[in-house]
C-alpha cells in the first residue's frame, strides 16, 4: 500500500471522509504541496502531525474542500435563477425549501437569501447551508468578507445588504438569520428530502465519476417532483435523464 493509500485509510478512520472518492491526481497534488509547505516528508508524517494539531487538521480540510467562493459567482446564472427559476417554483409553493450544499464560506447561501428576499419577507426566507469543513462554516457564520468576494455584487445590493468595515464587508444580521449552517458530508451522510431548490456548485468536479453518479441520484431523491438542481458552470450533466432530471436551463435541472 502506498503512503497515500495509507493516508486515505487513516483519514477515513479519523473523519469519515473518503478521499478515494475524489480524483486522485488533483487531490494528491494539492495535499502534497500542503505537507511540503509545512515541512513534512510524506503523508505518514503529515497525518501523525494532524492528529495532534487542530490548526493543521483544519488547514487540511480547507485545502481538501477548495474554499474558493464569491457572491453571485457567474452572475448570469444567478440572473436566470432570479428571473426564471424562482418565479416558476413559487407558482407551485409559496414557502420554498432551499439547500446550499457544500456551501464553503457562505457566499452562496447568502446570495440565495438575498435573491429570495426580493420575492418574500425575510421572515419567510430560509436556507439550509451545509459543508464538511467546520472552519469554513465558522467563517461563514461570521459573515465578514474581503472586497474581492463581492466583485460581482451590484452596487445597490452591496449598499442594502452589507456594511463596510475597513477593507472588509459584513453581511447584515437580517440576512444572516435566514441561513442555518450544518455540518454534512455529501459522500457519507443521508440527505433530507422535499427540497424545491438545491444549489451545489463547483464541488462535483473534484469527485470521481462513480461518486458523481451516486450523488446525482441522491440529489434527485432529495428534491420534490419539479424541484430544481443548480450546478456550477463546469459541471454540466451530460445524461440528465439517467438520473431522473431534465434540462430546465443551462446548469439547471428539473426533477421529472
Amino acid at each position: 500500500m502506498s503512503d497515500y493509500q495509507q493516508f486515505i485509510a487513516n483519514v477515513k478512520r479519523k473523519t469519515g471522509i473518503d478521499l478515494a472518492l475524489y480524483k486522485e491526481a488533483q487531490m494528491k497534488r494539492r495535499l502534497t504541496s500542503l505537507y511540503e509547505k509545512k515541512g513534512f516528508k510524506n503523508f505518514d508524517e503529515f497525518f501523525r502531525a494532524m492528529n495532534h494539531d487542530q490548526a493543521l487538521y483544519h488547514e487540511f480540510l480547507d485545502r481538501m474542500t477548495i474554499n474558493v467562493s464569491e457572491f453571485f459567482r457567474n452572475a448570469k446564472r444567478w440572473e436566470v435563477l432570479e428571473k426564471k427559476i424562482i418565479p416558476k417554483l413559487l407558482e407551485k409553493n409559496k414557502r420554498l425549501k432551499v439547500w446550499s450544499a457544500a456551501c464553503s464560506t457562505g457566499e452562496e447561501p447568502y446570495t440565495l437569501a438575498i435573491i429570495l428576499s426580493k420575492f418574500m419577507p425575510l421572515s419567510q426566507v430560509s436556507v439550509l447551508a451545509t459543508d464538511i469543513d467546520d472552519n469554513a462554516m465558522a467563517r461563514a457564520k461570521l459573515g465578514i468578507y474581503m472586497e474581492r468576494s463581492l466583485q460581482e455584487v451590484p452596487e445597490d445590493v452591496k449598499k442594502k445588504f452589507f456594511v463596510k468595515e475597513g477593507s472588509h464587508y459584513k453581511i447584515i444580521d437580517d440576512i444572516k438569520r435566514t441561513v442555518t449552517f450544518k455540518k454534512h458530508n455529501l459522500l457519507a451522510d443521508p440527505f433530507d428530502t422535499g427540497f424545491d431548490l438545491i444549489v451545489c456548485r463547483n464541488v462535483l468536479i473534484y469527485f470521481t465519476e462513480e461518486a458523481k453518479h451516486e450523488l446525482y441520484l441522491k440529489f434527485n431523491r432529495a428534491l420534490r417532483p419539479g424541484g430544481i438542481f443548480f450546478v456550477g458552470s463546469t459541471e454540466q450533466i451530460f445524461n440528465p435523464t439517467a438520473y431522473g432530471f431534465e434540462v430546465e436551463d443551462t446548469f439547471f435541472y428539473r426533477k421529472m
Side-chain angles (χ1 to χ4, degrees):
M1 190 186 280
S2 73
D3 83 325
Y4 183 63
Q5 296 301 320
Q6 186 59 57
F7 181 76
I8 287 175
N10 290 339
V11 166
K12 189 171 183 183
R13 236 186 345 266
K14 177 180 169 71
T15 67
I17 297 166
D18 189 354
L19 289 174
L21 296 170
Y22 292 78
K23 291 176 182 170
E24 183 172 325
Q26 285 178 334
M27 186 57 70
K28 197 172 174 183
R29 188 167 60 243
R30 192 175 297 125
L31 295 177
T32 300
S33 82
L34 175 61
Y35 81 58
E36 285 175 348
K37 189 179 99 179
K38 296 292 177 184
F40 301 109
K41 294 188 180 67
N42 52 45
F43 280 105
D44 182 49
E45 274 187 19
F46 180 45
F47 181 78
R48 278 185 285 147
M50 244 172 32
N51 259 338
H52 303 292
D53 184 340
Q54 198 67 9
L56 184 64
Y57 172 58
H58 279 137
E59 210 167 329
F60 154 71
L61 283 177
D62 267 354
R63 185 61 62 95
M64 193 206 94
T65 49
I66 323 103
N67 290 316
V68 179
S69 191
E70 59 190 59
F71 289 88
F72 294 89
R73 186 175 182 181
N74 310 117
K76 291 273 177 248
R77 297 297 90 209
W78 291 101
E79 212 173 285
V80 171
L81 181 74
E82 182 182 331
K83 301 279 194 295
K84 177 181 175 181
I85 305 295
I86 289 176
K88 223 181 218 187
L89 289 174
L90 286 169
E91 284 171 17
K92 295 195 177 110
N93 191 358
K94 292 297 169 209
R95 295 292 289 264
L96 300 182
K97 187 173 179 181
V98 179
W99 177 20
S100 169
C103 69
S104 185
T105 44
E107 290 91 335
E108 183 181 275
Y110 289 139
T111 298
L112 273 169
I114 287 168
I115 289 172
L116 287 166
S117 76
K118 297 180 181 185
F119 295 90
M120 60 193 78
L122 276 173
S123 59
Q124 288 176 24
V125 175
S126 177
V127 179
L128 171 67
T130 65
D131 202 273
I132 201 169
D133 183 351
D134 288 315
N135 205 31
M137 282 195 295
R139 281 152 58 197
K141 286 174 192 173
L142 280 175
I144 296 170
Y145 297 94
M146 304 281 280
E147 188 145 13
R148 67 166 182 270
S149 295
L150 280 78
Q151 58 193 7
E152 298 251 33
V153 179
E155 207 51 48
D156 60 326
V157 172
K158 207 183 278 187
K159 284 199 177 89
K160 186 173 179 183
F161 296 107
F162 295 86
V163 177
K164 198 168 189 322
E165 296 185 342
S167 60
H168 291 74
Y169 285 84
K170 187 172 186 179
I171 192 105
I172 62 167
D173 287 343
D174 284 351
I175 289 290
K176 276 167 75 172
R177 277 192 283 271
T178 66
V179 180
T180 303
F181 290 97
K182 190 173 155 195
K183 186 168 183 170
H184 184 265
N185 180 344
L186 285 175
L187 297 166
D189 294 335
F191 287 15
D192 195 3
T193 56
F195 289 103
D196 297 281
L197 172 65
I198 298 175
V199 181
C200 184
R201 306 178 78 224
N202 310 306
V203 69
L204 295 168
I205 47 170
Y206 298 105
F207 296 138
T208 62
E209 289 308 310
E210 295 75 21
K212 276 195 276 198
H213 174 83
E214 188 52 44
L215 282 170
Y216 291 147
L217 292 171
K218 285 170 82 172
F219 280 124
N220 183 276
R221 288 193 292 268
L223 284 162
R224 63 160 184 76
I228 295 289
F229 181 42
F230 177 20
V231 300
S233 54
T234 53
E235 296 173 321
Q236 198 164 352
I237 304 174
F238 291 107
N239 188 13
T241 52
Y243 307 105
F245 289 113
E246 55 192 356
V247 176
E248 177 71 16
D249 203 297
T250 314
F251 310 117
F252 292 92
Y253 299 90
R254 188 182 345 97
K255 177 172 176 166
M256 295 193 292

